[in-house]
């Protein structure tokens, strides 16, 4: 696996590096930068879930680069079920029941909004 690196240092107005350049591990840099960012989750009206950084500038930049992957809600639920399949019932059954209750509430809210808009 290729190790990605950043380089810290100085550049003149023409972009030519000068002085001491310091190589930095990409994972370390990204953890330091993203460690100061807060992300929430956005649910689009069609059920696609997407990470949402609190910084508008970061949101625009990540969106342009295609780094804010959207995932359909049903795919997230299927993944959660798959990940919990081998867990003992004592550990996972309450969580699946909570997931079910939340999905039933969400389904009711969507049905109510559809009905309201069809009136």
């Amino acid at each position: 696996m290729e190790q990605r690196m950043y380089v810290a240092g100085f550049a003149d107005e023409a972009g030519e590096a000068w002085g001491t350049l310091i190589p930095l591990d990409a994972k370390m840099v990204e953890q330091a930068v993203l460690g100061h960012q807060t992300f929430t989750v956005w649910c689009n009206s069609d059920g696609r879930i997407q990470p949402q950084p609190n910084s508008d500038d970061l949101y625009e930049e990540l969106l342009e680069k295609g780094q804010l992957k959207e995932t359909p809600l049903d795919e997230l639920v299927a993944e959660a079920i798959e990940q919990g399949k081998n867990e003992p019932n004592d550990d996972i059954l309450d969580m699946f029941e909570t997931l079910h209750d939340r999905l039933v509430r969400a389904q009711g809210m969507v049905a109510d909004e559809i009905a309201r808009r069809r009136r």
Side-chain angles (χ1 to χ4, degrees):
M1 179 161 86
E2 178 184 327
Q3 184 173 357
R4 297 178 324 124
M5 300 292 288
Y6 288 94
V7 178
F10 295 97
D12 61 23
E13 290 179 10
E16 292 295 320
W18 61 273
T20 303
L21 298 179
I22 302 167
L24 300 169
D25 176 66
K27 182 177 179 183
M28 190 175 73
V29 171
E30 290 163 2
Q31 285 177 342
V33 171
L34 292 176
H36 296 286
Q37 296 297 322
T38 303
F39 284 81
T40 57
V41 177
W42 175 257
C43 182
N44 294 310
S45 297
D46 65 357
R48 291 173 294 127
I49 309 298
Q50 178 180 38
Q52 183 88 23
N54 284 351
S55 163
D56 290 338
D57 291 338
L58 180 60
Y59 173 78
E60 292 299 326
E61 186 173 332
L62 294 175
L63 189 63
E64 277 181 24
K65 291 180 177 179
Q67 294 178 319
L68 294 178
K69 180 183 175 211
E70 296 174 328
T71 305
L73 178 60
D74 54 315
E75 288 181 19
L76 289 174
V77 171
E79 187 175 318
I81 291 170
E82 186 60 36
Q83 288 178 3
K85 275 192 174 173
N86 295 323
E87 295 292 324
N89 281 349
D90 292 347
D91 295 340
I92 200 76
L93 193 55
D94 284 346
M95 293 174 74
F96 280 154
E97 288 173 347
T98 300
L99 174 61
H100 179 264
D101 292 346
R102 288 181 174 164
L103 290 170
V104 167
R105 268 195 315 273
Q107 182 182 18
M109 288 186 281
V110 172
D112 290 348
E113 183 61 15
I114 290 169
R116 183 187 75 79
R117 289 177 177 271
R118 287 191 172 156
R119 284 185 208 135

